[in-house]
Every structure is written in C-alpha cells, then in structure tokens.
Amino acid sequence: MKSYLCAIGTANPPHALPQQKIADFMADALQLDAQETRKLKALYRLSGINTRHTVLEDYGQQNGDFSFYPNTQGLEPFPTVGQRMGQFQEHAVPLSVQAAQDCLDQIPNFSASQITHLITVSCTGMYAPGLDIELVEALGLPQTVQRTCIYFMGCYAAFNAIKAADAFCKADPSARVLIVCTELCTLHFQKHKETDHLVSNAIFADGSAAVLVCAEPLTNTALKLEAFHCDLAPSGQKEMAWHIHDFGFEMTLSSYVPALIKEGIGQLTQSLLQKLHLKLEEIKLFAIHPGGRKILEVIEQALGLTQADNRYAYQVLRNYGNMSSVTVLFVLQALLQDVQPEQHQEPVLSFAFGPGLTLESMLLSVHHVA
C-alpha cells in the first residue's frame, strides 16, 4: 500500500526583502570596514538569492528604526534566546495556519475535522504547550488528533515527517495526516565575522509549508511515495551543526559541506534507486533541497544533471532563500504545480541534507487522475 502527498500549501511572512538590502543591514550590524563590506556584498550577489522573507522588519530598516534589535551601535544588548523565542511564539502560529489553510483549501469537500494526525516540524523555535496544540485550536482540529513534534533536526526534517506520516497511513488507511513545517531562521542572526556565520546570515529565511498525506489520492494530481533511503557522512559532523547558545541558535555551515555532499550523493542515489530497480537516466523530475547554490552545483556535477533538471530548486532558492526544513516542500510544491497529465507515473527524485552530516533521499511518482 502506498501513501500520497495530496496537497502542499505554503506561506511566508510579509517582509520580502531584496538580498542586497539585507547585506546593507549585515554590514552595518557587523561594523564592517569598506573592504569587508565589498566582500560581503559579493557573497550576497553570488548566493543565487534575489529575495528572502522575514518576520523581522528590522533587516530592511536602518539603525534608529529597529523594533526588535536595539537601536545602538553594535546592537547591544544583543537579544537573548528568550526574546527570540518570544518572537517565534508570536509569529509561528499565524504563519503555520496560513500554510495549512492553503493546503487544505486545495482538497475538494475536505474539512479540518477529518484530520487524524498532526505532525509539526521546527528547528528554530520551541515552547510548550506548543505550536501543535495551538494549531489544533486555530485550525479547528479534533482534540483527539494524534500529535507528533519533530524538533531540531534541521533542513532534512521534512523527510522524517513524511516518513512518519507514511507509517501512520500504512498502519491505518483511514488516516489523514497533516504535516506543518515552520521555520523562522532570521530570528537567529549572530554577530560573528567568521565565514560560517557570514554564509548562514546570507542564505537563511523564514517560511512555512503544510502537506496532507493520505493512503489514497484526494486530488487529481498527487505525489505517490515510493521509497526512502538515508545515510550519514560522519566526517561532516562538525561541518554542519546547530547549537543553542545564550544569544540564539548558532549555525555552523562549513565550506566543506558541498564537497561532502558531492562525495556521498552518488551512493545515496544508487541505494535508493536499487529498491525500485530504477536507473538514474530514467528520472526526469527532481526536487532537491537548495541548501545553497554551491550545493546544487556539486549535485549536478556528481549526478550529471543540468540546471534545467534542477529548475524547481533554483526557483525556490532565488525567490525565498533557504528556509531550513520548509524549503524542500516549497520545491515539491513548485514541481507538483507544474506537472502535466501525460507525466502520470513519472518518478521524482528528492534530496535534503542537514546536521550529522545527514543525507536524505526520497523517491516519489506523479499520480494523475483524469
């Protein structure tokens, strides 16, 4: 028995800022000199990102007009974890509701009261009673809905949510599983000049995505789950990491990450495709997590793909940046909206990566009912 991604909904905060506008904020906040500022702006230009969304309007303001960061030189006293979590609790629920409604509105004759399971995902904010319980109330879900929370797994966490939903549906064909991934990455800006932090500040953004997973397709076009495969590159444990410190969550994103992904992606792909006796050349549709422009490029080199093959990932990276666990769902949504009826049963290969270094892969297929 197979499960289906029946619909995918998305949402972003209202503050959509040009990449170079954010670079101006960063240069001032980090108190960079003229040469450092030129290098920073070059990094932002080469990121492959045009626009990012944030719940904090400060990134588009000048010092003196900030509403979250202090209007002082050096932004001192720098916001604490508690202050950042307060912002998460304020903004995560309405953004999640927007994404969930966008998802459920795509399904004919369906109401939130039919949801049997709720899976919430985040690595950028935590509190209890948490996002899951607030969504039960805000969406009008049954109080008996079975709730699962997946926290702090990073950019690949949506894959584990989909795996859990798949297991629920296989155990109970009447299950209706709603996944909601919400990440407010921009709450965790850090004032460090090391390259890892400069890159993190240059790519991460805010967003939410929701998916309804069922044991039957409830829409004319859905994505059928075929297989999963996960692997670890232990040598990359220190190259991509996510830690809670006194002034927010601090991301380590080493320049070695693309090389580690390039080294492991071939075997990961082969192991996944072997489960269904497929060859890579049979796959024409790809939904790859755009962890960054360089990551997309090394995957193309390793697998012999073109930028056109990777078009959905580049589209999401360009318009939204990296929204951690949310991002691959934006890519899958872009693909799902673009597929044609004649692509029924075509396979879809999807990847995501995160701390560990974790390499996740998923094989789906297009399911279309005339």
Side-chain angles (χ1 to χ4, degrees):
M1 186 176 71
K2 302 292 186 180
S3 304
Y4 297 82
L5 307 187
C6 297
I8 304 173
T10 58
N12 293 98
H15 307 299
L17 301 178
Q19 184 74 323
Q20 289 306 309
K21 186 72 173 178
I22 304 172
D24 291 336
F25 169 92
M26 295 296 175
D28 183 66
L30 295 170
Q31 299 178 289
L32 303 182
D33 61 29
Q35 182 178 6
E36 291 171 327
T37 298
R38 285 195 297 272
K39 290 181 179 178
L40 182 77
K41 291 192 172 184
L43 171 65
Y44 277 59
R45 282 194 302 273
L46 294 171
S47 65
I49 300 169
N50 291 344
T51 307
R52 286 186 283 162
H53 291 73
T54 173
V55 296
L56 298 177
E57 62 181 354
D58 290 5
Y59 294 112
Q61 305 290 328
Q62 292 185 340
N63 199 316
D65 297 322
F66 296 156
S67 57
F68 176 67
Y69 292 108
N71 288 286
T72 59
Q73 188 176 26
L75 307 183
E76 295 294 341
F78 205 44
T80 63
V81 171
Q83 289 172 302
R84 297 170 197 251
M85 290 301 93
Q87 290 291 310
F88 184 89
Q89 191 165 352
E90 176 182 344
H91 294 289
V93 174
L95 192 64
S96 301
V97 168
Q98 187 180 344
Q101 291 288 10
D102 183 39
C103 172
L104 299 181
D105 287 348
Q106 299 173 38
I107 304 168
N109 304 314
F110 190 88
S111 71
S113 63
Q114 296 173 252
I115 301 295
T116 60
H117 297 71
L118 173 65
I119 303 174
T120 52
V121 179
S122 188
C123 69
T124 52
M126 291 175 281
Y127 60 98
L131 179 60
D132 57 329
I133 291 178
E134 293 204 54
L135 284 178
V136 170
E137 297 174 350
L139 293 171
L141 305 184
Q143 292 188 354
T144 55
V145 69
Q146 297 187 44
R147 295 175 286 112
T148 302
C149 301
I150 297 176
Y151 285 139
F152 224 65
M153 300 193 80
C155 294
Y156 65 90
F159 276 55
N160 282 328
I162 292 171
K163 289 178 188 178
D166 181 50
F168 293 150
C169 290
K170 287 178 176 175
D172 178 5
S174 66
R176 301 287 185 262
V177 186
L178 180 65
I179 298 170
V180 181
C181 298
T182 300
E183 304 287 9
L184 305 184
C185 304
T186 68
L187 295 179
H188 299 291
F189 162 57
Q190 298 297 311
K191 293 189 304 174
H192 301 303
K193 294 184 181 181
E194 291 83 2
T195 301
D196 291 357
H197 290 284
L198 294 179
V199 171
S200 296
N201 292 336
I203 65 174
F204 284 102
D206 301 348
S208 181
V211 185
L212 185 70
V213 182
C214 303
E216 57 180 328
L218 301 183
T219 48
N220 288 340
T221 304
L223 294 173
K224 181 163 62 172
L225 296 170
E226 301 285 2
F228 301 92
H229 187 74
C230 176
D231 205 350
L232 286 171
S235 60
Q237 284 187 15
K238 295 181 180 180
E239 310 303 332
M240 186 185 292
W242 193 224
H243 298 285
I244 300 176
H245 287 184
D246 294 341
F247 298 98
F249 301 177
E250 294 195 19
M251 164 63 76
T252 299
L253 188 60
S254 164
S255 59
Y256 294 106
V257 168
L260 290 167
I261 291 174
K262 183 178 182 180
E263 182 181 327
I265 199 71
Q267 183 58 55
L268 182 78
T269 304
Q270 183 178 356
S271 298
L272 175 67
L273 296 184
Q274 281 178 345
K275 294 181 179 182
L276 295 174
H277 307 290
L278 280 174
K279 296 181 179 179
L280 182 59
E281 51 266 29
E282 297 177 67
I283 298 177
K284 307 300 179 187
L285 295 173
F286 298 87
I288 299 175
H289 167 65
R293 181 180 60 83
K294 185 64 176 177
I295 287 175
L296 295 179
E297 290 175 349
V298 299
I299 292 173
E300 290 162 9
Q301 294 165 12
L303 300 184
L305 307 182
T306 67
Q307 284 195 3
D309 293 326
N310 228 354
R311 60 192 178 278
Y312 303 113
Y314 282 109
Q315 173 186 324
V316 171
L317 182 66
R318 182 171 59 251
N319 295 331
Y320 302 101
N322 182 344
M323 300 168 285
S324 191
S325 69
V326 176
T327 323
V328 73
L329 299 181
F330 269 64
V331 178
L332 284 165
Q333 184 202 49
L335 183 150
L336 184 58
Q337 291 176 337
D338 196 43
V339 294
Q340 303 300 311
E342 58 269 23
Q343 292 176 290
H344 176 63
Q345 295 187 331
E346 278 201 24
V348 178
L349 182 58
S350 186
F351 299 120
F353 320 98
L357 180 77
T358 302
L359 305 168
E360 284 279 0
S361 63
M362 175 171 62
L363 195 66
L364 312 96
S365 63
V366 176
H367 181 88
H368 182 80
V369 178

